Amino acid sequence: MRRSAWVVLLALGASGLGAGEVRGQSVPDPKAAGLEPRARLEQLVERVKWEQSRLKTLGADFVQDRVSQLLLEPETARGVFRYQSPDQVRWEYLEPRPILMTIRGEQMTTFFGDLGTAERVSIGSYSEQVFRYLGASGSLETLMKYFSLTANFPETDGEPYHLQLLPRYSRIKKRLRSMEIWLDTSSYLPVRLRYVEANGDSTDYRFENMVANKEMPASLFDVKLPVGTVVRSIDLRSGR
């Protein structure tokens, strides 16, 4: 659960979520005629940063398809995702199991509704690493330091941009074999994400009904645990 959340957040960060404002330049256009492939990719990276410079909140429904050696058959889950700049996340599975995860700054809380248990995790530097991508420095440009990037540009209107990322370094390859991101050609928001772990397990997310910059109440990112919930505390900062 935690690993899935980090990979998704990093991927959203790679697509420019919460990027700092881009000033003093014309609107980059990856669709412009006559661009060479490298120049078109550079324009796409800059356009993503430009479009996302004003993004403060994001909400979407998601469908997750999971294939794993530990599962007898592929598993599908559905839920909702909410993000508010700079460091608040609500990631909620509605089916097949109710699971609610929220992040506020350095604390992650996960509530397993069917079990009546919860985890409170002090994530410390993990949070800093993730939200560095989601903050002003976050962009495809940053992620390209760690991954080789190729892009397929749509030939038909309505088809998304397809980005393929392969890790450059062995320390990343030990955990992640590849990642793919599909970006909407109008909003430049991610509509699909797929990542493959080192052992071949894969997770595929499809995002639907995206809404950007809609005001969100602060209470949305609080988890009010029912009375009697068994809570386990974990501190990743100290290894406990």
Side-chain angles (χ1 to χ4, degrees):
M1 175 75 178
R2 245 179 265 134
R3 180 179 295 179
S4 294
W6 291 142
V7 172
V8 171
L9 290 175
L10 286 171
L12 291 172
S15 60
L17 182 61
E21 187 172 358
V22 180
R23 301 176 182 271
Q25 67 176 61
S26 58
V27 181
D29 185 8
K31 302 174 186 176
L35 290 176
E36 296 295 329
R38 181 64 186 179
R40 194 174 299 279
L41 177 57
E42 291 174 353
Q43 286 288 295
L44 175 59
V45 171
E46 292 303 314
R47 181 58 179 267
V48 167
K49 292 162 61 179
W50 193 92
E51 289 285 353
Q52 307 310 322
S53 64
R54 295 180 296 273
L55 188 62
K56 303 302 181 184
T57 69
L58 180 63
D61 301 329
F62 70 84
V63 179
Q64 172 192 294
D65 292 312
R66 174 78 173 156
V67 177
S68 172
Q69 300 172 15
L70 301 179
L71 299 173
L72 295 178
E73 57 185 22
E75 180 180 82
T76 298
R78 301 176 186 275
V80 294
F81 167 79
R82 301 289 184 268
Y83 166 78
Q84 181 165 281
S85 176
D87 59 3
Q88 298 186 92
V89 175
R90 181 185 178 99
W91 187 267
E92 184 174 9
Y93 288 89
L94 302 175
E95 57 182 56
R97 297 177 55 206
I99 302 174
L100 172 60
M101 184 201 74
T102 63
I103 300 174
R104 298 195 70 169
E106 294 189 359
Q107 180 168 286
M108 174 191 289
T109 302
T110 306
F111 174 55
F112 303 91
D114 56 340
L115 301 177
T117 62
E119 289 182 354
R120 283 203 174 101
V121 183
S122 297
I123 49 184
S125 61
Y126 288 83
S127 172
E128 294 173 7
Q129 292 170 26
V130 170
F131 288 111
R132 184 172 68 247
Y133 288 101
L134 298 179
S137 63
S139 68
L140 282 171
E141 186 177 25
T142 302
L143 204 66
M144 285 166 64
K145 295 179 181 178
Y146 304 97
F147 293 82
S148 61
L149 171 66
T150 58
N152 293 325
F153 291 86
E155 297 181 357
T156 305
D157 289 343
E159 293 184 358
Y161 297 107
H162 181 200
L163 309 181
Q164 299 168 299
L165 299 100
L166 298 176
R168 295 180 183 273
Y169 304 108
S170 58
R171 67 179 183 275
I172 302 175
K173 293 177 182 178
K174 290 178 181 179
R175 296 181 177 274
L176 192 64
R177 182 182 298 178
S178 65
M179 184 160 57
E180 297 173 82
I181 304 171
W182 288 259
L183 297 173
D184 180 77
T185 53
S186 297
S187 68
Y188 294 85
L189 289 170
V191 292
R192 184 182 173 191
L193 159 69
R194 182 176 187 268
Y195 69 91
V196 181
E197 298 175 45
N199 64 358
D201 291 357
S202 65
T203 306
D204 194 314
Y205 292 93
R206 300 188 304 280
F207 297 97
E208 304 168 345
N209 304 318
M210 279 195 169
V211 178
N213 293 332
K214 180 179 180 181
E215 186 174 350
M216 296 181 180
S219 59
L220 190 65
F221 303 95
D222 288 325
V223 179
K224 296 182 178 179
L225 302 176
V227 176
T229 301
V230 177
V231 181
R232 179 190 178 201
S233 295
I234 303 171
D235 192 341
L236 296 183
R237 298 170 301 182
S238 62
R240 294 194 296 271

